[in-house]
Amino acid sequence: MPKAQLTISSKNYSSWSLRGWLICKLAGLAIDEVHVSLDDPGQRAELLLLSPSFLVPALIDEDAKIWDTWAIAEYLNEKYPQAGLFPVDRIARAHCRSICGEMHSGFHNLRSALPMNLKARYSGFKIWAGAQPDIERILAIWGECLSTHGGPFLFGAKPTVADAMYAPVCMRFYTYDVPIDAAAAAYCRAIMDWAPMKEWIAAAKAEPEEIEELDVEF
């Protein structure tokens, strides 16, 4: 049987590609990566936040074609229930879905103010005031999860879909030197030390393509 295919965009810039890829890793799904060129106008528009339609990542597995990150998570959870993509406990699972849904549909100010750029590092970056409520809400989500489930991941000892959904935020906080509390900093370190994240970051740093509009300091 041929491997599944996951279409992704830039590993340096595309947070949604990262989320979908991490979810596949959590499920243990063997994939062939298909890369969309940054020269594609549609991908440039998405990465520059000029388009609301994100068509990466897109997963083809057997006869299934799924082009939404949350749909990919639910599909793989159904196919690989033993993989533990969601918490076992029903209440924790509901909480996990809620915070994933919040990331899937919200935090627009954070995304526009702090676009993902793994190669960059802006020390002392001035956060746009409109993004601060998003940052505070994310820190509150993390704090509640970590205090309830004991860390190092949001729902305990093992990563879940929630960690895949919030992993790009850890990278944004690092890139833009966002002040965070000790618990959040420890969580970000756990995400950075997660083997799939190390693999993704190494590949992102090796990417030759760049989008000049995202490399300027603003």
Side-chain angles (χ1 to χ4, degrees):
M1 181 180 296
K3 284 185 180 179
Q5 289 187 347
L6 184 72
T7 300
I8 59 176
S9 185
S10 166
K11 287 191 172 182
N12 187 52
Y13 295 114
S14 179
S15 59
W16 287 108
S17 293
L18 171 56
R19 291 181 176 103
W21 187 86
L22 286 173
I23 290 166
C24 289
K25 289 289 185 178
L26 281 171
L29 179 67
I31 56 171
D32 284 327
E33 296 178 15
V34 178
H35 293 261
V36 178
S37 171
L38 293 181
D39 292 331
D40 179 271
Q43 293 307 308
R44 290 176 67 84
E46 289 180 2
L47 294 174
L48 290 168
L49 307 173
L50 300 177
S51 169
S53 175
F54 288 84
L55 299 180
V56 294
L59 177 66
I60 298 177
D61 181 39
E62 299 176 5
D63 293 328
K65 297 180 180 180
I66 314 107
W67 58 90
D68 176 86
T69 305
W70 186 240
I72 290 171
E74 292 288 9
Y75 168 79
L76 292 177
N77 183 57
E78 289 181 10
K79 186 172 181 179
Y80 302 105
Q82 74 284 357
L85 270 67
F86 291 92
V88 174
D89 179 77
R90 177 174 57 86
I91 302 302
R93 192 163 60 248
H95 187 196
C96 180
R97 283 192 164 96
S98 294
I99 67 170
C100 288
E102 197 168 345
M103 174 54 66
H104 188 258
S105 62
F107 303 115
H108 301 293
N109 287 339
L110 173 71
R111 293 176 191 172
S112 60
L114 308 176
M116 193 168 89
N117 186 343
L118 301 187
K119 295 179 182 179
R121 174 71 168 160
Y122 300 109
S123 181
F125 187 83
K126 185 175 180 180
I127 305 297
W128 172 48
Q132 192 60 40
D134 283 356
I135 293 171
E136 292 171 1
R137 173 57 187 154
I138 288 169
L139 293 178
I141 289 171
W142 290 0
E144 180 181 6
C145 288
L146 294 169
S147 63
T148 300
H149 302 287
F153 297 101
L154 293 178
F155 288 89
K158 296 181 179 180
T160 65
V161 168
D163 300 291
M165 293 295 283
Y166 282 86
V169 177
C170 295
M171 302 311 305
R172 285 179 161 101
F173 285 177
Y174 175 78
T175 295
Y176 296 98
D177 196 25
V178 177
I180 56 178
D181 58 65
Y187 173 64
C188 288
R189 286 194 297 271
I191 289 295
M192 297 279 281
D193 287 339
W194 184 18
M197 279 296 295
K198 288 184 175 180
E199 180 182 346
W200 179 278
I201 291 168
K205 290 182 177 179
E207 261 186 3
E209 299 94 348
E210 293 184 353
I211 300 180
E212 292 181 1
E213 293 94 326
L214 286 177
D215 284 335
V216 297
E217 193 164 355
F218 55 89

